[in-house]
């Protein structure tokens, strides 16, 4: 298992922890529980300080290459293509829009959101929009939701009808 560290990815800081050591200890505990067949056991620390989380779910989200680790900024371009390439619509009329918040509190400050958006778009053959000044849940600034809806409507408006 690979724990995350350094300045990228959904590492310890973006998972609500105060130190790399706290994250690594929890991830090691979660891996041990999963290996022992106890993946559904709740972990002793709450995710983001308030969300109960099972060992299996934490491994899926927080381990490098976990089954729900899709949007990590520390993936190589090839790893992103492997994770997101199925969204490219090969043989299907699939349109994908990645929406990133410019001031997402769960994205480490060292991550260039615009560069990450370009990488996601290239990996998935997708469109992207960055909501200016927005936090993770679009509750700020006041026009964040409007920016999101406008971008979504524009994306949907360009989808061709399939008969």
């Amino acid at each position: 298992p690979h724990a995350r560290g350094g300045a990228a990815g959904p590492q310890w800081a973006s998972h609500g922890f105060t130190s790399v050591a706290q994250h690594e200890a929890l991830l090691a505990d979660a891996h041990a529980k999963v290996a022992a067949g106890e993946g559904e056991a709740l972990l002793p620390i709450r995710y983001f300080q308030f969300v109960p989380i099972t060992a299996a779910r934490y491994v899926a989200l927080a381990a490098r290459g976990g089954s729900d680790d899709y949007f990590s900024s520390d993936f190589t371009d090839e790893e992103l293509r492997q994770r997101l390439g199925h969204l490219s619509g090969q043989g299907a009329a699939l349109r994908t829009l990645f929406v990133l918040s410019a001031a997402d509190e769960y994205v480490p400050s060292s991550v260039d959101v615009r560069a990450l958006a370009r990488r996601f778009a290239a990996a998935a053959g997708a469109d992207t929009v960055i909501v200016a000044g927005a936090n993770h849940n679009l509750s700020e600034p006041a026009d964040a939701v409007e920016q999101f809806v406008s971008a979504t409507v524009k994306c949907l408006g360009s989808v061709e009808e399939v008969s």
Side-chain angles (χ1 to χ4, degrees), residues 2-162:
H2 299 283
R4 293 187 187 257
Q11 81 250 325
W12 61 274
S14 59
H15 284 278
F17 295 108
T18 57
S19 72
V20 173
Q22 184 185 35
H23 160 70
E24 289 176 348
L26 187 64
L27 188 57
D29 182 39
H31 274 293
K33 283 182 177 11
V34 170
E38 301 170 1
E40 295 308 307
L42 289 175
L43 294 177
I45 296 175
R46 294 190 180 254
Y47 195 59
F48 293 110
Q49 289 83 44
F50 66 93
V51 179
I53 190 166
T54 65
R57 182 71 177 134
Y58 191 71
V59 168
L61 287 169
R64 189 173 201 299
S67 61
D68 270 348
D69 183 11
Y70 287 98
F71 307 109
S72 296
S73 59
D74 62 345
F75 279 145
T76 65
D77 290 343
E78 179 56 30
E79 288 171 318
L80 281 175
R81 275 191 292 282
Q82 290 172 2
R83 293 260 172 197
L84 303 175
H86 67 283
L87 299 173
S88 66
Q90 299 170 356
L94 178 65
R95 187 78 184 261
T96 303
L97 176 66
F98 282 97
V99 179
L100 290 83
S101 298
D104 191 324
E105 63 273 26
Y106 300 117
V107 175
S109 60
S110 59
V111 173
D112 180 340
V113 174
R114 292 193 184 289
L116 187 59
R118 285 190 296 273
R119 293 181 65 223
F120 287 163
D127 296 314
T128 62
V129 66
I130 298 173
V131 181
N135 62 2
H136 185 78
N137 68 3
L138 304 179
S139 64
E140 294 177 8
D143 69 338
V145 171
E146 183 180 328
Q147 290 181 59
F148 168 75
V149 170
S150 293
T152 303
V153 168
K154 181 178 177 184
C155 180
L156 291 174
S158 64
V159 175
E160 295 178 23
E161 186 174 328
V162 178

